[in-house]
Amino acid sequence: MTCTTAVSQQTLCLCGFVCPRVGAWSWVLCVRCSAYVSLKHDADKVIVFERGNAVFAFNFHITNSYTDYRIGAPVAGSYSLLLCSDDEEFGGHARIAQGGKYFTTPDPWNNRPCSLQIYLPARTAIVLTPFNEDS
């Protein structure tokens, strides 16, 4: 799977704009797709960052899973699970249901305009993207 999609000989970046750079990894150098780290919590061993319109959440703790863990979201609305490292296909325990939706609340969190509450099992990473009713 590539991170960009060719559309009429132009490359769309993760951010949805035509990227001036060509290639599957052009989003790495895209100024509009620059990463924003919203949370680095040493005690919880959690890192949350955004890249393009995706929100990445990593739990590096070896034993602690977090229920209703609040993370900041860049855009209000609903989010869907794009990837979960805890899926059985990756050797995980499938503790997070595929197809679930996550809804933002208007509570600002970690310098983001709204927030989400997620389940983040130990030793997992998830990627959330805004849910589009048309897709």
Side-chain angles (χ1 to χ4, degrees):
M1 182 172 95
T2 61
C3 294
T4 56
T5 305
V7 177
S8 66
Q9 298 179 351
Q10 294 180 333
T11 303
L12 289 181
C13 215
L14 281 176
C15 61
F17 292 95
V18 175
C19 201
R21 304 185 197 299
V22 179
W25 294 97
S26 61
W27 63 274
V28 173
L29 302 172
C30 180
V31 175
R32 293 177 191 233
C33 280
S34 60
Y36 177 80
V37 179
S38 62
L39 175 68
K40 293 181 286 187
H41 197 287
D42 288 334
D44 289 348
K45 305 213 181 308
V46 171
I47 297 173
V48 178
F49 70 92
E50 301 158 20
R51 181 82 182 183
N53 65 351
V55 177
F56 297 76
F58 294 83
N59 180 1
F60 293 105
H61 205 287
I62 60 171
T63 56
N64 290 357
S65 296
Y66 302 108
T67 304
D68 294 331
Y69 198 82
R70 187 175 298 275
I71 62 172
V75 178
S78 60
Y79 284 73
S80 60
L81 186 65
L82 180 66
L83 179 121
C84 177
S85 68
D86 194 45
D87 288 348
E88 287 179 342
E89 67 182 295
F90 302 120
H93 301 286
R95 295 171 284 189
I96 298 177
Q98 286 293 327
K101 301 271 184 305
Y102 299 84
F103 301 95
T104 60
T105 59
D107 306 318
W109 196 260
N110 292 330
N111 295 319
R112 307 317 289 154
C114 49
S115 59
L116 297 161
Q117 286 185 282
I118 60 172
Y119 174 54
L120 197 56
R123 301 178 310 264
T124 60
I126 65 170
V127 181
L128 302 168
T129 56
F131 180 71
N132 186 352
E133 295 287 339
D134 299 330
S135 58

